[in-house]
Amino acid sequence: TISTTVSEFSIDKLKAELFWNYTSPFTYSRTAYTVSATISNRCTREDTDLTDTVQAYISNNSYTNAGDYTASVTGVNNSNYYVDLTNNKLNWTILRRTVVIDWTDNDFTFNAVHQAKTATATNLCNYDTISFSYSYSVMNSAGIYGSYIANTSTINKGKYKVKVTGISGTSAANYQLPETVQETTYEIAARKLTATISSSDYTYNGS
């Protein structure tokens, strides 16, 4: 009599070990940045000496605008592996681009309207647009600049300082001001008057 023993067994799936290619924040450049994950513990088969092909399915891993994002590996394309959904995320960042500011080089003469130097961002990405807001300070008779005042005008003869205080515009969310104060000085000169003397003939009348 031959007896046969049948044993049942199972092969559990292998937990995929994730390796993310992200090491430090990106900086906004108007191009898409993408983070990806590879499986670092793929098996090599004894019979073929070939390493398993395992590709991760990832969501929220490609963006263009500045911000904080969370990428997630939702699964893999090999049924012998699984993803631990409690440890499958990566927090990653695209930083705002810090503007490089250049000031206009103007000479001003009083003309009864607001005049001031203005700032230009020299490192904007193509097709991006931003605007700056300003505050102004005027030098007093003692040669000391006063406090900065926003939403004012510099019209009269005098010496002034102007400071960039903010960014607005359609692309503003992707840019930031430098940590150092962006300011410069300028002067509005007095307007030289031109006198015209009329010439007429008069007859003495006792007055």
Side-chain angles (χ1 to χ4, degrees):
T1 302
I2 299 175
S3 63
T4 303
T5 302
V6 177
S7 298
E8 292 184 357
F9 65 96
S10 62
I11 300 175
D12 293 333
K13 291 183 178 183
L14 179 64
K15 183 174 75 171
E17 300 293 340
L18 305 178
F19 176 79
W20 294 93
N21 68 340
Y22 174 82
T23 57
S24 61
F26 303 105
T27 298
Y28 170 79
S29 64
R30 202 181 168 90
T31 57
Y33 291 104
T34 301
V35 296
S36 60
T38 55
I39 311 306
S40 60
N41 62 333
R42 294 175 300 152
C43 293
T44 299
R45 296 181 177 270
E46 294 181 357
D47 55 344
T48 61
D49 202 32
L50 298 177
T51 301
D52 285 346
T53 298
V54 189
Q55 179 182 345
Y57 299 130
I58 311 173
S59 62
N60 300 319
N61 66 319
S62 185
Y63 289 95
T64 299
N65 291 324
D68 296 317
Y69 304 100
T70 301
S72 301
V73 174
T74 57
V76 292
N77 67 340
N78 190 313
S79 60
N80 290 316
Y81 295 78
Y82 76 96
V83 174
D84 180 359
L85 297 181
T86 65
N87 188 29
N88 65 327
K89 293 179 174 57
L90 171 75
N91 296 321
W92 62 288
T93 299
I94 302 175
L95 299 173
R96 292 185 177 193
R97 190 178 188 87
T98 300
V99 293
V100 176
I101 287 178
D102 188 27
W103 291 95
T104 54
D105 186 17
N106 304 72
D107 294 322
F108 301 108
T109 300
F110 172 78
N111 64 359
V113 298
H114 171 70
Q115 299 179 95
K117 288 185 177 180
T118 56
T120 301
T122 62
N123 65 330
L124 292 185
C125 297
N126 289 341
Y127 309 110
D128 281 354
T129 58
I130 63 172
S131 300
F132 293 119
S133 53
Y134 304 94
S135 290
Y136 302 93
S137 169
V138 60
M139 180 184 287
N140 61 25
S141 58
I144 300 173
Y145 285 101
S147 300
Y148 276 105
I149 301 175
N151 301 318
T152 189
S153 297
T154 59
I155 298 175
N156 296 324
K157 168 189 176 297
K159 294 183 177 181
Y160 298 91
K161 286 200 301 184
V162 56
K163 176 176 68 172
V164 176
T165 56
I167 300 174
S168 60
T170 56
S171 307
N174 290 315
Y175 291 88
Q176 64 182 5
L177 293 175
E179 292 184 358
T180 55
V181 175
Q182 299 299 299
E183 62 183 0
T184 191
T185 59
Y186 61 98
E187 182 175 1
I188 299 176
R191 189 176 191 85
K192 183 178 179 180
L193 297 179
T194 301
T196 301
I197 301 175
S198 60
S199 177
S200 302
D201 294 327
Y202 297 96
T203 302
Y204 173 75
N205 60 7
S207 58

